[in-house]
Amino acid sequence: MRILHTAAEIFPWVKVGGLGDVLAALPEALRAIELDARVLLPAYPALKRAFPQAKAVAGLEDLLGTGPATFLRDLTPSGVPIYLLDAPSLFDRPGGPYDDRGDSHLRFGAFSLAAAWFARHGDEDGWEPEILNCHDWQTALTPVYLKVWGGSRPRTVMTIHNLAYQGLYGPEVLPSLHLPPELMAMDGLEFYGRVNFLKGGLQVADALTTVSPTYAKEIQEPAFGEGLDGLLRHRSQALTGILNGVDHRVWNPATSPHLPHPFSLADLSGKARCKRELQREMGLEERRDLPLFVVVSRLVAQKGLDLMLAAVDRLVHEGGQLAVLGAGEAGLESGFGEAAGRHPGRVAVKVGYDEGLAHRFMGGGDALVVPSRFEPCGLTQLYALAYGALPVVRRTGGLADTVVEGETGFFFEAVDAHALGDALARACHLFFHDPLAWKRMGLQAMAQDFGWIPSAQRYRDLYRSL
Ligand code: ADP
Ligand code: GLC
């Protein structure tokens, strides 16, 4: 079966969050179970640098008035064919995948259109997909173009990684995207007088998926539906939740090049050394006897880190240490900086994005805090489990599906700093008073296997059903 995944991120070259991790791992896992999965991305500078030998395999004379566009093809180091849409006026920008100059609708509208064109015409070897799996709003117009054009087309799957980002623009963008005015309707792209890219994909894709079973249920309720819950209820039969996995070749404490001391279930001694080194690196007191809580996150409202900030003093009072790695909202960045100033040796923050440090946080941490308001899947708690750091999480979305209270981590329910504080206090209490139970939980956490293959098999079953 020939499958094309289209998205705006792919690790390690273009990554803002978990979407990049998924695009790197899922197609490879699908290939491991004998499907011909490939990926299509915009030719950002980082990807053009990574694939300088990519070969032109198809072209468009003009892409929505932005100039000509070329499809390049190469192979990733793990053997996945990668297509790059080279449209320099849209994607040759230094500021990461979402370098918005007031034209994001055009950038991703054009990308979606080009993907639809490619799906029908294929490359110069005649390869064309039977299944087109689009990820998030940046690719959501692809099924819409295919529907509008009519004729033969691949089956389409729209995967939701985060319903909070929908691609909302004024109605005037429709003609510039070469889409007919009739789409500005309730059963089209119209959303409170605006154009909603994601809504388009959710209306017309043959199947919808999201990245955990619990989030698949939650988004059909007003509280999590971001205004699209009615549509998602209407399409409930077409919607499934398939968990993300861990790429154990990247996230493996026995082989990660980023850890100062490797460790594994069979020999955990390296973990204590990773903790000491992390404490040193972050300027924390080098205390084996204190539980070290870590955060690795985008600092945005979704992640609930305002609750963590409000619970810092309590955590320190309970005897914990906290190390935060994250970037995002200025108020949170400075808030954690102030907390570190109040609690020298006990709280530390590193503002920024640092892949290697993320590994060292998971490797050295005793526990990972993920207090998300909503979490479609969440990958950091899976990485923490693999690295023997117990997740302290809000019971929502993929967090609820992957952590087991009292066995591999700690839950709290209410979106409130007291509830989080209570969970942190429970964790501290166990760490101080029942070290054997703590250790047992760590072993259970590391023994969990959230590898990609079972998830890839579920995608395969879905593709087959189409
Ligand atoms: P989301 O995609 O919503 O940000 P996920 O948990 O699915 O949440 O994925 C986040 C990914 O980004 C993980 O791979 C995590 O390690 C990484 N990440 C987030 N913030 C940072 C950071 N400041 N430095 C390094 N990696 C980060
Ligand atoms: C989104 C979600 C996150 C999920 C990731 C990959 O960024 O916020 O929960 O793990 O996509 O699917």
Side-chain angles (χ1 to χ4, degrees):
M1 204 173 354
R2 299 183 303 275
I3 300 130
L4 184 66
H5 288 266
T6 66
E9 299 180 27
I10 185 166
F11 174 82
W13 307 283
V14 190
K15 167 173 164 180
V16 172
L19 176 65
D21 290 358
V22 173
L23 262 288
L26 171 59
E28 193 187 335
L30 290 169
R31 293 185 77 82
I33 55 170
E34 309 295 327
L35 306 188
D36 182 0
R38 305 182 177 200
V39 295
L40 167 65
L41 285 105
Y44 306 112
L47 285 171
K48 282 179 89 170
R49 278 195 301 277
F51 299 100
Q53 312 287 356
K55 173 174 173 233
V57 290
L60 287 164
E61 269 170 34
D62 180 68
L63 184 54
L64 291 178
T66 67
T70 310
F71 291 88
L72 309 172
R73 189 185 64 206
D74 208 335
L75 269 190
T76 68
S78 50
V80 178
I82 181 168
Y83 295 95
L84 302 173
L85 176 70
D86 193 13
S89 70
L90 296 171
F91 300 118
D92 198 355
R93 297 182 186 181
Y98 310 120
D99 188 338
D100 179 34
R101 299 182 186 169
D103 60 353
S104 283
H105 64 284
L106 195 58
R107 298 179 84 213
F108 293 112
F111 181 57
S112 296
L113 183 152
W117 181 88
F118 183 80
R120 298 221 311 192
H121 293 82
D123 69 12
E124 61 172 18
D125 299 332
W127 191 91
E128 52 184 62
E130 295 162 286
I131 301 279
L132 189 66
N133 193 334
C134 303
H135 297 265
D136 275 355
W137 74 265
Q138 297 88 354
T139 59
L141 289 186
T142 303
V144 176
Y145 282 109
L146 287 169
K147 173 100 186 287
V148 167
W149 295 341
S152 79
R153 60 172 184 84
R155 303 281 100 189
T156 54
V157 179
M158 183 77 236
T159 299
I160 305 166
H161 293 265
N162 194 329
L163 199 61
Y165 303 98
Q166 300 179 357
L168 285 170
Y169 302 100
E172 69 285 355
V173 307
L174 264 196
S176 69
L177 298 173
H178 295 186
L179 286 170
E182 305 86 84
L183 285 180
M184 202 57 198
M186 262 278 273
D187 60 357
L189 273 56
E190 191 273 339
F191 187 75
Y192 300 99
R194 307 179 79 196
V195 168
N196 185 325
F197 278 35
L198 183 62
K199 180 178 172 186
L202 298 178
Q203 293 275 18
V204 304
D206 296 309
L208 312 179
T209 72
T210 187
V211 286
S212 70
T214 294
Y215 193 61
K217 286 194 211 110
E218 287 172 340
I219 55 179
Q220 299 182 52
E221 298 161 13
F224 291 90
E226 306 280 350
L228 293 171
D229 47 293
L231 169 57
L232 289 165
R233 280 195 300 281
H234 177 67
R235 298 222 56 200
S236 190
Q237 292 304 315
L239 170 64
T240 45
I242 305 178
L243 268 185
N244 290 332
V246 176
D247 188 338
H248 286 300
R249 279 195 290 181
V250 178
W251 289 94
N252 184 337
T255 57
S256 170
H258 304 294
L259 292 185
H261 304 281
F263 61 91
S264 65
L265 260 183
D267 178 7
L268 270 174
S269 55
K271 180 148 178 93
R273 282 182 271 161
C274 285
K275 176 173 175 179
R276 195 179 56 229
E277 300 250 349
L278 178 62
Q279 287 168 324
R280 184 174 307 159
E281 180 173 4
M282 293 301 291
L284 294 167
E285 288 167 27
E286 290 172 40
R287 301 265 307 261
R288 201 183 172 137
D289 59 326
L290 300 185
L292 171 55
F293 293 78
V294 299
V295 167
V296 177
S297 185
R298 294 184 294 126
L299 302 179
V300 296
Q302 170 192 347
K303 300 294 177 180
L305 291 163
D306 49 321
L307 308 182
M308 184 64 248
L309 202 49
V312 167
D313 294 349
R314 167 123 184 243
L315 175 63
V316 172
H317 177 75
E318 297 286 348
Q321 287 184 325
L322 177 69
V324 177
L325 168 61
E329 288 169 14
L332 286 170
E333 291 182 355
S334 62
F336 282 111
E338 281 155 28
R342 273 202 312 282
H343 302 292
R346 299 293 293 277
V347 176
V349 57
K350 173 80 195 282
V351 171
Y353 185 93
D354 186 334
E355 197 71 32
L357 194 53
H359 283 252
R360 295 196 291 285
F361 267 54
M362 302 294 181
D366 294 301
L368 173 86
V369 191
V370 193
S372 305
R373 292 192 158 73
F374 67 93
E375 195 60 76
C377 178
L379 289 167
T380 58
Q381 84 279 11
L382 300 182
Y383 302 156
L385 290 168
Y387 281 51
L390 302 179
V392 181
V393 303
R394 224 189 121 236
R395 196 208 297 266
T396 186
L399 299 170
D401 292 338
T402 55
V403 178
V404 184
E405 164 70 37
E407 287 186 30
T408 58
F410 304 87
F411 276 144
F412 69 101
E413 304 272 349
V415 183
D416 131 4
H418 293 289
L420 170 59
D422 289 346
L424 294 169
R426 262 187 293 131
C428 288
H429 189 268
L430 193 75
F431 183 93
F432 288 123
H433 299 290
D434 197 347
L436 271 182
W438 184 277
K439 190 164 177 209
R440 199 165 52 236
M441 284 177 73
L443 294 174
Q444 266 168 240
M446 290 179 72
Q448 303 286 302
D449 183 7
F450 285 103
W452 265 106
I453 294 296
S455 300
Q457 286 165 337
R458 298 207 51 207
Y459 279 94
R460 179 189 57 194
D461 294 345
L462 171 71
Y463 299 151
R464 280 193 180 145
S465 76
L466 295 176

